Amino acid sequence: MRIAFLGLGAIGTPMAVHVAKQHQLTVWNRTGTRATAFAAAHACAVAATPREAAAGAEVIITCLPTSSDVESLLDGPDGLLAGLGQGALFLDCTSGDPDTTRRIGERLAPLGIEFADAPVSGGTNGAEAGTLTVMVGGTEETFRRARPILDCFGRRVEHMGPLGAGHAMKAVNNALLAVNVLAVGEGLAALVKSGISARKAVEVLNASSGRSFVSEYLVPQRVLTRLWPLTFRLALLDKDARIATGVLEGQGVSGPVLHLTSDLLAQARAALGEDADYLEPIRLIEQEAGVKLHE
């Protein structure tokens, strides 16, 4: 199948690698040198513009930072709409927002282009292993058509509901991840100040009812080791949490916990900068408490 993949970031690149193994792939990226290097490494074509990427493609996959980025690729002489043909399938794996997604869908439907939001969860490790969770919003027919493509990089591919449902699910998931990051950091800081070693506190927590992905995996491997790898930018988690609060507001749910979490992430982002990793708010918690969480 002829597939175009637009957006070769930390998650998009390994996803595109899996697609290239099974399909005829063309790639595009804002930084053209990255696309050129990818094409050379994986024996696929590179496009100079979104229009060129879309021309002749049966399936378009986007994996960009925001829904606004996706929307910005549609128009103009070099935009996607100038290259997309009737009957094409457009899958947006961006961690985007439901409102913009529905607006894009309303533009594509009269052109005979099927559209679904299909954000992913599982991080760079999941993307490299091809074991991502994919949360799909769209019609049943579109989901059935998209499933074989999404199976290239997803271990669990779920139809969540109508267009925008995938992005709503992903945003709430990431907001809950943020709650855990902040809460685990605060709790461990207090325990260390109480005289308990961070390692022992984590071990006991992970054998108890308060355990989570953050305590079981992220803190032991990235915080206690003091490695702090840059795997997912705090700025993007901040964006996702704000989308989640918008989902809550749209459904009439007050959501004080997620609103507070979103506010705290925004404060951490302002303090740490745009390149900080999403676990680094724990550094701020450490500084305020006057402790370090280490082995």
Side-chain angles (χ1 to χ4, degrees):
M1 188 172 290
R2 298 185 304 278
I3 298 177
F5 199 107
L6 293 84
L8 298 174
I11 297 290
T13 294
M15 290 168 60
V17 169
H18 288 291
V19 176
K21 292 175 182 177
Q22 301 183 44
H23 297 280
Q24 181 181 335
L25 187 66
T26 298
V27 294
W28 176 88
N29 194 68
R30 282 198 185 93
T31 304
T33 53
R34 180 174 294 180
T36 301
F38 182 96
H42 300 284
C44 62
V46 60
T49 65
R51 175 182 180 173
E52 184 179 321
E58 299 165 83
V59 180
I60 302 291
I61 301 174
T62 48
C63 190
L64 300 171
T66 69
S67 289
S68 295
D69 292 320
V70 176
E71 194 170 34
S72 72
L73 297 185
L74 296 179
D75 296 311
D78 290 326
L80 284 173
L81 294 183
L84 278 169
Q86 187 172 12
L89 174 63
F90 191 149
L91 304 176
D92 181 24
C93 294
T94 302
S95 292
D97 69 90
D99 289 342
T100 305
T101 293
R102 286 188 285 265
R103 185 167 65 242
I104 293 172
E106 289 171 358
R107 294 190 61 189
L108 296 177
L111 303 176
I113 298 166
E114 292 189 65
F115 184 52
D117 48 310
V120 302
S121 181
T124 53
N125 289 341
E128 290 166 1
T131 58
L132 293 168
T133 296
V134 190
M135 312 163 199
V136 185
T139 66
E140 287 279 1
E141 181 182 350
T142 301
F143 175 72
R144 286 193 295 269
R145 185 179 172 192
R147 180 66 187 267
I149 306 303
L150 300 174
D151 281 341
C152 290
F153 46 77
R155 180 169 61 188
R156 180 162 188 165
V157 180
E158 292 285 348
H159 184 210
M160 304 308 303
L163 196 62
H167 281 150
M169 182 72 231
K170 175 61 188 295
V172 170
N173 173 80
N174 278 19
L176 296 178
L177 169 64
V179 170
N180 276 271
V181 169
L182 297 174
V184 170
E186 291 173 356
L188 290 178
L191 292 174
V192 170
K193 291 199 76 171
S194 300
I196 302 170
S197 78
R199 172 61 68 181
K200 180 64 69 176
V202 169
E203 289 174 352
V204 173
L205 175 62
N206 289 337
S208 306
S209 57
R211 66 188 180 275
S212 67
F213 174 71
V214 174
S215 68
E216 290 183 317
Y217 175 73
L218 297 178
V219 168
Q221 294 196 15
R222 303 181 186 184
V223 177
L224 299 188
T225 58
R226 312 310 290 177
L227 292 176
W228 301 102
L230 179 59
T231 60
F232 179 56
R233 289 195 298 125
L234 173 61
L236 295 177
L237 186 62
D238 175 39
K239 177 262 297 181
D240 292 341
R242 283 186 282 110
I243 292 172
T245 58
V247 171
L248 267 62
E249 291 165 3
Q251 300 305 319
V253 177
S254 60
V257 173
L258 293 190
H259 275 86
L260 176 58
T261 298
S262 181
D263 290 343
L264 292 172
L265 285 183
Q267 293 171 25
R269 177 179 178 178
L272 294 165
E274 294 301 294
D275 294 328
D277 184 73
Y278 73 113
L279 285 182
E280 291 191 59
I282 294 178
R283 288 185 187 269
L284 297 180
I285 294 169
E286 289 179 328
Q287 292 171 13
E288 183 179 346
V291 297
K292 279 192 175 183
L293 307 180
H294 57 79
E295 298 189 67

